[in-house]
Amino acid sequence: MPYLQIDSQKFLHNYQVILNAIAPNNPEKIAIVLKDNAYGHGIKEIAKLAHYLKIENAFVKNTDEALQVAPFFHHTTILYPYSLPSDSLLQQSLQNPKIYFCASSLESLKDYPKNTRIELKVDSGMHRNGIAKEELTQAFQIINQNNLQLKGIFTHNGFGDDLGSEFYTQNVAFLNIKQESLQLCAHYKIPKPRFHSLNSSGAFRAKDSHTHLVRDLQDDLFRIGIAFYGYLCQDSAFFAPKLKPIGALYAQKISTLNLEIGSRIGYRGISTLERNNVSTYDIGYGDGLFRVREGMEVYSAEGFRILPRASMDCISIESTQEEVCIFNDARPLARIFGTIPYEILAHLHAYIPKVVI
């Protein structure tokens, strides 16, 4: 059976790089994003590693993920609380004092029962999710009327990866939102909520500028996702921290054939052998591995050619090894498939075993 090997020492290395660059004197500000099965790496396995490092805050996708990891953190925020249609899991999450719920619209604020712990998402210019700045007063009215517990106010800066002024424009927009929110908190006698806006690339990019703000207007958390797993997808002009990919995908041999060089392999005989031996391995696009197809030059981490076309449950590789490493760095595959490491990793099915070393 294929498995994903998780290197705990590389995870620790990435944490130290993140901490030293972003918040060397404030480790409590480093939060981990575990959504979508920890970007394919195994949510409970990564949660345990984060707990060992005393990371206090986590962000997940849905109620199922929140309940799995809540025991490991002081607070866990569900970014998409209604993305999983399970009333039982929703009720369990509502009753857990460690779990917060994202509210990204005025309508969603009205859906939560009294005393729900919420983090209000605001739109600072990405125009994806979140209430408009002009709706802040109305949002606070609903929070006050419905006796909701406002635990956080946050946004998502969608320009951290790219050169351009939009990153700074969003930061200024969120600064204005913070200032108005503090005035509304004082008016309604609501304790100051935590503020956060920056993901991995944004946090590295703003690592110096945010400290110049007065304390009440600084971000209280940095939501670090992909950097924990060893990647950044930012423009090459920016500071490049020396992160290490923590996951390596392995597959096991099913069978080996000894054939003549030039023999045609698989569906439609698309591939021809360049060596005598070819083996099939127990992973395919049905397991979430992207489908290798004709015209692609794809190689395992050891340099063995992976032959098009890939099948749903297996792939052919010019190797006789009992085990091959499909990748130990998702970037080469991402380039071949014209995508980003996020997609390669998040595609892997959750049932693939995780082995922490």
Side-chain angles (χ1 to χ4, degrees):
M1 186 173 188
Y3 67 94
L4 189 70
Q5 181 176 280
I6 306 298
D7 191 319
S8 60
Q9 292 305 304
K10 290 180 179 178
F11 183 84
L12 174 61
H13 165 86
N14 293 340
Y15 170 72
Q16 290 296 340
V17 170
I18 293 163
L19 181 64
N20 293 340
I22 295 172
N25 300 315
N26 302 101
E28 73 282 356
K29 285 192 171 188
I30 304 297
I32 188 167
V33 181
L34 297 170
K35 68 186 182 73
D36 295 288
N37 197 32
Y39 294 51
H41 290 80
I43 190 166
K44 291 193 76 171
E45 289 80 4
I46 302 301
K48 290 176 183 178
L49 292 175
H51 176 71
Y52 173 78
L53 295 175
K54 299 182 179 179
I55 294 171
E56 298 177 352
N57 294 280
F59 291 83
V60 299
K61 180 173 183 175
N62 55 38
T63 52
D64 178 54
E65 290 190 341
L67 291 167
Q68 287 188 62
V69 305
F72 299 106
F73 301 99
H74 290 185
H75 304 111
T76 299
T77 297
I78 306 174
L79 295 171
Y80 299 96
Y82 290 98
S83 62
L84 188 67
S86 171
D87 188 62
S88 172
L89 294 177
L90 177 62
Q91 292 305 316
Q92 290 180 61
S93 298
L94 286 167
Q95 293 165 16
N96 190 319
K98 290 184 172 184
I99 295 178
Y100 298 167
F101 293 78
C102 169
S104 56
S105 68
L106 296 178
E107 292 74 22
S108 65
L109 273 175
K110 298 172 185 177
D111 289 337
Y112 288 116
K114 178 181 177 181
N115 289 322
T116 299
R117 302 159 298 280
I118 64 155
E119 293 211 62
L120 184 65
K121 186 166 189 180
V122 293
D123 177 20
S124 58
M126 187 179 177
H127 306 316
R128 187 177 66 175
N129 295 315
I131 68 165
K133 182 177 182 292
E134 294 73 26
E135 296 176 318
L136 266 177
T137 298
Q138 191 175 352
F140 270 80
Q141 290 172 348
I142 296 170
I143 290 167
N144 183 60
Q145 292 167 2
N146 294 5
N147 292 315
L148 301 174
Q149 297 182 41
L150 181 63
K151 297 296 186 179
I153 296 176
F154 73 107
T155 192
H156 184 65
N157 192 317
F159 298 94
D161 291 329
D162 308 304
L163 286 171
S165 62
E166 293 95 339
F167 175 74
Y168 302 102
T169 301
Q170 269 206 268
N171 284 343
V172 171
F174 189 50
L175 178 63
N176 293 332
I177 288 166
K178 291 176 185 177
Q179 292 170 325
E180 184 172 343
S181 296
L182 290 175
Q183 294 172 0
L184 288 165
C185 284
H187 175 76
Y188 287 104
K189 297 181 171 58
I190 295 173
K192 176 184 177 294
R194 64 187 193 180
F195 294 119
H196 47 99
S197 63
L198 299 172
N199 61 5
S200 294
S201 56
F204 277 107
R205 188 170 174 183
K207 59 188 177 69
D208 298 319
S209 60
H210 76 274
T211 58
H212 300 306
L213 297 171
V214 298
R215 179 65 188 88
D216 276 356
L217 294 176
Q218 291 181 21
D219 274 12
D220 300 291
L221 291 179
F222 302 106
R223 301 190 307 269
I224 308 300
I226 199 69
F228 264 116
Y229 308 105
Y231 303 90
L232 278 183
C233 297
Q234 59 184 8
D235 191 281
S236 59
F238 296 129
F239 165 72
K242 297 187 182 302
L243 302 169
K244 298 180 180 181
I246 69 169
L249 181 64
Y250 288 88
Q252 309 294 316
K253 186 173 73 172
I254 298 171
S255 64
T256 296
L257 289 174
N258 191 299
L259 301 170
E260 292 183 2
I261 292 175
S263 296
R264 298 171 66 189
I265 298 297
Y267 288 109
R268 289 186 58 192
I270 292 298
S271 294
T272 56
L273 285 186
E274 296 176 356
R275 51 189 295 180
N276 293 106
N277 296 313
V278 62
S279 301
T280 55
Y281 291 85
D282 59 356
I283 191 168
Y285 60 82
D287 303 295
L289 184 68
F290 275 36
R291 180 173 174 264
V292 180
R293 57 190 185 274
E294 49 266 41
M296 289 183 166
E297 289 287 332
V298 184
Y299 296 87
S300 72
E302 302 93 344
F304 299 123
R305 190 163 66 117
I306 301 175
L307 302 175
R309 301 174 180 172
S311 298
M312 187 179 293
D313 302 305
C314 61
I315 53 177
S316 295
I317 302 179
E318 289 184 331
S319 166
T320 59
Q321 291 188 177
E322 293 299 316
E323 176 179 274
V324 294
C325 181
I326 305 301
F327 67 80
N328 52 22
D329 183 337
R331 286 171 291 198
L333 270 185
R335 286 192 290 269
I336 290 169
F337 285 96
T339 185
I340 54 178
Y342 294 78
E343 190 175 9
I344 298 293
L345 297 164
H347 250 251
L348 298 176
H349 277 281
Y351 61 66
I352 294 176
K354 314 301 184 294
V355 178
V356 180
I357 61 170

